[in-house]
Amino acid sequence: MPPTSFPARTAFIERNTKETKIQVLLSLDGGALDLLPSTTHFPSTPSSSTSSLAHAASPLSIPHIPEQTEETHASQTSPSQQIWIWTGIGFLDHMLHALAKHAGWSLRLRSRGDLAIDDHHTTEDTLLALGSAFSAALGARTGLARFGTAHAPLDEALARAVVDLSNRPFFVGVFGFQNEKIGALSTQMVHHGLQSWSQAAGVTLHVDVLRGENDHHRAESAFKALAVAVREACRRVEGREGEVVSTKGVL
């Protein structure tokens, strides 16, 4: 008997606010992705006049955003995944790269935000957009494992993540950071960013960093644990096709 053919779980999301402009293209099962489309906010070849108009009309920072064909600190291509991420916040890029890689996703994401103010809106809206893309790509929550749990170490740090694709957003996170920032990312935005993601994704999420001395390691182990737990929760279960995994009969 040939293997069951499943529809692609992909989604494209644009989130545009006064503070941020974001594009997300996500495939939960990896594979090849098209390039993100050019728009007025993300022109293919930004001109000096475009930048000047944007400065005059918006508080958004206008740093150079690389072309999607350029290799960056948060890009990676393998036979099974394509990842390209640019938010303007290096450590956030690093965390999203780890999340996509270990969840098995292919992901293209770029953000233009008001980083001249701080990192809050860019982090929050990026994770909201990614959560919305996750929910849209997941589609009907049937035939899935639904629950996922994982531990992930990074040297001395160890984190645990537990995920329920409940469609009832709830987030609890305990990170124990010692410093206010990791690179250009405020440590409080790790908590708020994941809270934003769980809200838009429609998941119940618990993340606990159980130990660790280095804040970078604590954060990265948390995102890796989340990635592995999400991958497990999204796993299609043979023989449960079309079934809602709930005593209520609905998620």
Side-chain angles (χ1 to χ4, degrees):
M1 177 180 289
T4 303
S5 177
F6 292 107
R9 297 189 291 183
T10 62
F12 172 68
I13 293 290
E14 287 187 292
R15 179 180 173 86
N16 296 321
T17 73
K18 183 177 180 181
E19 295 88 7
T20 60
K21 313 299 177 188
I22 299 161
Q23 291 181 320
V24 180
L25 178 59
L26 172 66
S27 169
L28 298 182
D29 303 303
L33 291 176
D34 294 331
L35 296 179
L36 296 168
S38 299
T39 67
T40 54
H41 303 301
F42 297 101
S44 55
T45 53
S47 65
S48 57
S49 60
T50 300
S51 296
S52 298
L53 287 171
H55 272 301
S58 168
L60 302 186
S61 301
I62 313 294
H64 169 69
I65 296 180
E67 293 295 322
Q68 295 174 69
T69 52
E70 294 180 40
E71 290 293 318
T72 72
H73 57 272
S75 64
Q76 187 173 15
T77 300
S78 71
S80 63
Q81 289 177 279
Q82 293 182 350
I83 299 170
W84 190 93
I85 298 163
W86 188 273
T87 67
I89 305 171
F91 190 73
L92 179 59
D93 295 348
H94 182 39
M95 294 300 95
L96 296 179
H97 184 186
L99 174 60
K101 182 63 182 177
H102 297 289
W105 299 346
S106 285
L107 174 64
R108 290 188 180 276
L109 184 154
R110 58 184 172 186
S111 304
R112 189 185 295 281
D114 56 353
L115 295 177
I117 297 174
D118 64 10
D119 60 338
H120 185 105
H121 295 137
T122 300
T123 303
E124 177 182 56
D125 287 347
T126 295
L127 269 296
L128 285 171
L130 182 58
S132 296
F134 174 86
S135 184
L138 195 61
R141 303 186 184 208
T142 59
L144 305 175
R146 176 178 169 179
F147 299 100
T149 183
H151 289 77
L154 179 53
D155 296 343
E156 87 296 346
L158 177 66
R160 175 184 62 218
V162 183
V163 171
D164 176 8
L165 305 179
S166 60
N167 221 7
R168 297 191 305 278
F170 201 90
F171 175 66
V172 178
V174 178
F175 299 94
F177 295 124
Q178 301 176 51
N179 299 296
E180 291 185 2
K181 286 202 165 195
I182 310 172
L185 180 66
S186 304
T187 49
Q188 67 176 351
M189 290 310 299
V190 173
H191 186 288
H192 186 61
L194 290 179
Q195 181 181 43
S196 299
W197 180 83
S198 64
Q199 174 186 333
V203 306
T204 300
L205 171 62
H206 291 250
V207 179
D208 296 275
V209 178
L210 304 175
R211 62 178 66 95
E213 310 236 344
N214 182 285
D215 280 352
H216 183 131
H217 291 175
R218 294 178 78 91
E220 188 168 345
S221 66
F223 274 84
K224 287 178 175 176
L226 169 60
V228 178
V230 165
R231 188 176 67 201
E232 171 59 22
C234 293
R235 179 175 55 86
R236 289 165 165 139
V237 180
E238 187 176 357
R240 282 189 177 177
E241 294 82 3
E243 290 186 18
V244 178
V245 186
S246 171
T247 56
K248 300 177 186 297
V250 64
L251 290 175

